[in-house]
Amino acid sequence: MRKTSVILLSAATGAALTLFVTQPRSVLMGSSARAATSDTYRQLNLFGDVFERVRSDYVEKPDDSKLVESAISGMLAGLDPHSSYMDAKSFRDMQVQTRGEFGGLGIEVTMEDGLIKVVSPIDDTPASKAGIMANDIITNLDDEAVQGLTLNQAVEKMRGPVNTKIRLKIVRKGQDNPIDVTLVRDNIRVRSVRARTEGDDIGYIRITTFNEQTTEGLKREIGNLSTQLGDKLKGFIIDLRNNPGGLLEEAVTVSDAFLERGEIVSTRGRNAEETQRRAAHAGDLTKGKPVIVLINGGSASASEIVAGALQDHKRATLVGTRSFGKGSVQTIIPLGSGNGALRLTTARYFTPSGKSIQAKGIVPDIEVLQDVPDELKSRTDTKGEASLRGHLKSEGDEKTGSQSYVPPDAKDDKALRTAADLLHGIKATATGPTTTDKPANKAAN
């Protein structure tokens, strides 16, 4: 079996392993394989001819490296929507995202009218310690105006080596003059897991992405909520809505946190010997407490692995709308120093019952549609994997489109209310909740 680090959005595999797999095939090639190889070389010669013609005859002198990068990007983009080429910078950015840890200031920001607006400072970071506040407007970074920069460019400037300084100019509502603040970058961990109590007897845990910090954060929050609520704890609501996915390994370990045994996911590549199966280990961190998982049209990839595993094992009740339907695995293959990496689709994944959710999604046990404001109705449905051009085809009927709106105010969140009702022993149906005399722990099993 080829030993690679298979992930949904990022991982690494050595070139030597690829050579080990491919070299023996050339020794045993028959006449048909030799003919196919000969045809491939003819096509490569055609590419070389076109490349040279562009270099010599294009109206302006082209950049050779950009021509090659564009050719590689076009080749990968023609495979499926998730295979792509990443240049060196994109590769570094991807590594930061999946690591969930970087040198920076500790502020969540967005772009507003060409300026950087602070969404919120992260607790116990240079930004929060310096008094940066939500809704502050950052106008200058080290005396350079932010106006004209993209959000990514501004974020890149704010990140940097730990213990280096950066000066920010901030405009704050209610202050007549701009505020100058000098911050020292520190090691920042992205919080992919957030938690709170829902009422006085339910633990609510929101997972926003699957990076290297996710399982650690989940374990910490389960422990905190269990201690805080004690004997009153009815169960847990795990919110995976609009979670786009991330690392396969984290999806496996998050699922394992709720399971005692059984398969979590299998991945199957082009060759039968590449099939891998991941199983749970004993030790349910919730000690058997009922679990409700919230999903919607924005729940994709790693989110669907977790939802599918818990649903198939009847460990959780799924509430919300059908998920996105991304049932493929991407492996990141570094191309050497300074050359970036390939993001290549190498396998499909299957839930414990053997179902592929590719271009279909996961159907919740209880569908709950949100009440969407009129002005947002045209923008609250996610088209899903099946609507992406060039997506991997699925056996059977494909499904497109599912609601992905989550109300900003928890009191308006019908899916959240349904989940709470289930944990309180109120049976939910398509027409609404009804009272039942069944024990609460039966509703989520």
Side-chain angles (χ1 to χ4, degrees):
M1 184 181 293
R2 183 174 60 188
K3 286 181 72 65
T4 56
S5 181
V6 181
I7 61 170
L8 287 167
L9 291 182
S10 57
T13 177
L17 287 170
T18 304
L19 290 174
F20 175 79
V21 172
T22 58
Q23 281 178 342
R25 295 178 183 171
S26 63
V27 176
L28 302 175
M29 279 197 302
S31 59
S32 60
R34 283 195 294 270
T37 300
S38 177
D39 186 58
T40 299
Y41 281 127
R42 281 196 296 270
Q43 295 294 324
L44 289 174
N45 286 334
L46 172 62
F47 171 77
D49 291 343
V50 172
F51 181 76
E52 287 301 326
R53 182 57 60 92
V54 172
R55 292 183 71 214
S56 61
D57 294 349
Y58 186 64
V59 63
E60 296 178 351
K61 181 176 174 56
D63 183 320
D64 289 354
S65 63
K66 287 185 177 179
L67 287 178
V68 173
E69 284 189 9
S70 297
I72 294 171
S73 295
M75 174 176 62
L76 291 165
L79 296 174
D80 68 84
H82 307 295
S83 293
S84 63
Y85 169 70
M86 293 180 287
D87 60 22
K89 180 184 178 303
S90 297
F91 184 32
R92 287 194 302 271
D93 290 344
M94 182 276 302
Q95 290 173 309
V96 169
Q97 290 173 5
T98 56
R99 220 172 28 242
E101 190 171 353
F102 55 88
L105 307 178
I107 41 178
E108 298 177 11
V109 294
T110 187
M111 182 72 79
E112 186 173 285
D113 298 328
L115 298 174
I116 303 300
K117 181 178 180 179
V118 176
V119 176
S120 67
I122 300 172
D123 292 342
D124 199 30
T125 63
S128 64
K129 292 175 182 177
I132 304 296
M133 300 173 62
N135 299 317
D136 280 352
I137 301 295
I138 301 173
T139 61
N140 294 73
L141 299 170
D142 279 338
D143 296 328
E144 180 182 350
V146 169
Q147 193 89 33
L149 297 179
T150 65
L151 181 60
N152 285 338
Q153 288 171 333
V155 168
E156 186 176 356
K157 287 181 177 294
M158 285 187 278
R159 289 179 179 173
V162 173
N163 294 326
T164 57
K165 294 181 179 181
I166 184 172
R167 190 166 56 258
L168 277 59
K169 181 172 285 187
I170 294 171
V171 173
R172 179 175 296 164
K173 188 175 182 180
Q175 298 275 357
D176 294 333
N177 299 314
I179 303 168
D180 288 313
V181 182
T182 298
L183 303 177
V184 179
R185 296 180 178 93
D186 198 355
N187 194 45
I188 307 299
R189 285 192 170 191
V190 177
R191 288 184 62 190
S192 59
V193 181
R194 300 175 186 272
R196 68 172 189 263
T197 58
E198 188 67 25
D200 62 356
D201 57 1
I202 293 173
Y204 170 90
I205 299 175
R206 167 94 173 109
I207 302 177
T208 57
T209 187
F210 288 84
N211 61 30
E212 292 178 10
Q213 314 297 328
T214 300
T215 302
E216 177 187 331
L218 175 68
K219 291 178 178 178
R220 182 177 59 251
E221 298 299 352
I222 288 176
N224 290 342
L225 289 167
S226 298
T227 300
Q228 184 176 351
L229 295 176
D231 294 339
K232 294 188 297 182
L233 179 61
K234 295 283 189 184
F236 293 90
I237 297 172
I238 309 300
D239 194 344
L240 298 178
R241 292 176 296 181
N242 295 330
N243 180 325
L247 298 170
L248 172 60
E249 182 62 33
E250 293 296 317
V252 170
T253 51
V254 164
S255 302
D256 197 0
F258 301 97
L259 296 171
E260 289 284 357
R261 64 182 68 84
E263 183 174 300
I264 292 172
V265 65
S266 63
T267 59
R268 307 176 196 176
R270 184 166 60 182
N271 303 306
E273 66 269 18
E274 295 173 339
T275 298
Q276 297 187 30
R277 300 182 184 278
R278 305 299 300 275
H281 303 85
D284 177 355
L285 297 184
T286 69
K287 295 180 171 56
K289 289 291 185 182
V291 176
I292 310 294
V293 174
L294 304 182
I295 61 171
N296 67 6
S299 304
S301 199
S303 301
E304 294 172 294
I305 284 181
V306 175
L310 299 186
Q311 183 183 53
D312 279 5
H313 284 290
K314 302 188 185 307
R315 180 62 187 90
T317 299
L318 270 54
V319 173
T321 57
R322 187 177 60 251
S323 64
F324 187 85
K326 181 183 178 294
S328 62
V329 179
Q330 282 67 50
T331 300
I332 302 303
I333 306 172
L335 299 175
S337 179
N339 291 326
L342 301 183
R343 178 190 275 118
L344 190 65
T345 300
T346 54
R348 297 172 187 254
Y349 72 77
F350 295 79
T351 69
S353 63
K355 293 184 298 185
S356 169
I357 57 89
Q358 173 63 20
K360 293 180 178 179
I362 291 177
V363 178
D365 299 299
I366 300 172
E367 182 181 55
V368 177
L369 294 174
Q370 303 283 357
D371 295 326
V372 183
D374 291 340
E375 65 273 15
L376 297 177
K377 284 184 176 178
S378 62
R379 296 179 293 173
T380 58
D381 282 359
T382 300
K383 293 183 178 179
E385 176 80 7
S387 66
L388 299 179
R389 180 179 297 178
H391 69 273
L392 297 179
K393 298 302 180 183
S394 175
E395 294 182 3
D397 293 336
E398 297 184 347
K399 304 292 184 181
T400 62
S402 177
Q403 189 185 76
S404 58
Y405 176 71
V406 178
D409 194 328
K411 68 179 176 59
D412 300 323
D413 191 338
K414 294 173 68 175
L416 181 61
R417 292 206 309 269
T418 299
D421 285 342
L422 285 168
L423 292 175
H424 286 133
I426 300 174
K427 184 178 179 181
T429 66
T431 57
T434 58
T435 303
T436 177
D437 58 358
K438 291 182 180 180
N441 62 352
K442 296 294 185 182
N445 290 329

